[in-house]
Amino acid sequence: MTTATYESAVRIGSTEYRLLATADPDLVVRLSGSDLSGALVAEGELRLPAEAGSAVGKVLGQVLDAMAKLGAPRPAARSRPANANQPWTADLDDDLRTAWLAAEPDAPTADLIRGIALRMERSPTSIRSRLARVGCDPDVPGRPLSAEAAAVLGVRGRDQGGLGDKPDPPRWEEG
């Protein structure tokens, strides 16, 4: 019978892991890990029938992936703008409308929205969604919202910056 051997190494951080697998006739997998000073930090051996290697390898891979995810640090939560989820006031609406309508029509829309969002301590999504409600075309800086666009966007009354004649129905304020 021929002996088959596989050897590999990988460095993760300051630890080098070495894997040696042999099949003669059983499958033997040896793993060791050493830090930069050469101190052994991980070791183990797995012995099983060669025909079970592939199936056990898949299960072992799934288990190791799941266990690594359990111990992995959670990603840091993104910070939210200071005024996120705060109600919009008439003064804030006026400030937003004034800032948008004062912009040049060829100004980059996304950059303008991000800039206003930073100044008002709101998210860019909040600013963009609020623009139509204050009577501004959210796609073209400096342009008021037309009555046709207001109908498409479903805004009316005060939310159109005076384009409609019906008062707003009661609703939840957006942040």
Side-chain angles (χ1 to χ4, degrees):
M1 169 142 230
T2 306
T3 300
T5 303
Y6 174 82
E7 188 171 355
S8 185
V10 64
R11 179 171 299 280
I12 301 173
S14 62
T15 304
E16 181 175 35
Y17 295 94
R18 294 193 158 285
L19 182 90
L20 175 64
T22 58
D24 183 28
D26 288 340
L27 179 62
V28 179
V29 180
R30 290 182 181 94
L31 175 72
S32 64
S34 302
D35 66 14
L36 293 175
S37 70
L40 191 63
V41 297
E43 70 175 325
E45 182 176 290
L46 179 64
R47 192 178 286 273
L48 57 144
E51 64 272 9
S54 180
V56 171
K58 287 179 185 175
V59 170
L60 187 57
Q62 291 171 346
V63 168
L64 293 174
D65 282 345
M67 296 303 287
K69 289 176 184 170
L70 286 174
R74 298 192 186 275
R78 291 195 301 182
S79 62
R80 295 174 40 181
N83 290 324
N85 297 321
Q86 296 301 311
W88 284 86
T89 64
D91 287 341
L92 290 171
D93 283 345
D94 289 344
D95 290 347
L96 176 59
R97 181 177 169 79
T98 300
W100 191 258
L101 295 178
E104 294 295 322
D106 59 348
T109 304
D111 292 344
L112 181 59
I113 288 174
R114 278 192 296 272
I116 293 171
L118 282 173
R119 185 173 55 78
M120 296 186 85
E121 299 185 66
R122 302 271 181 168
S123 71
T125 302
S126 172
I127 296 299
R128 182 169 174 77
S129 67
R130 194 71 184 177
L131 284 168
R133 291 182 174 217
V134 299
C136 298
D137 185 329
D139 295 318
V140 182
R143 185 164 75 186
L145 189 65
S146 68
E148 294 81 19
V152 169
L153 294 173
V155 293
R156 62 178 202 253
R158 168 178 68 82
D159 282 346
Q160 295 177 58
L163 293 175
D165 56 355
K166 296 180 182 175
D168 289 338
R171 68 177 189 291
W172 295 98
E173 294 292 333
E174 293 181 2

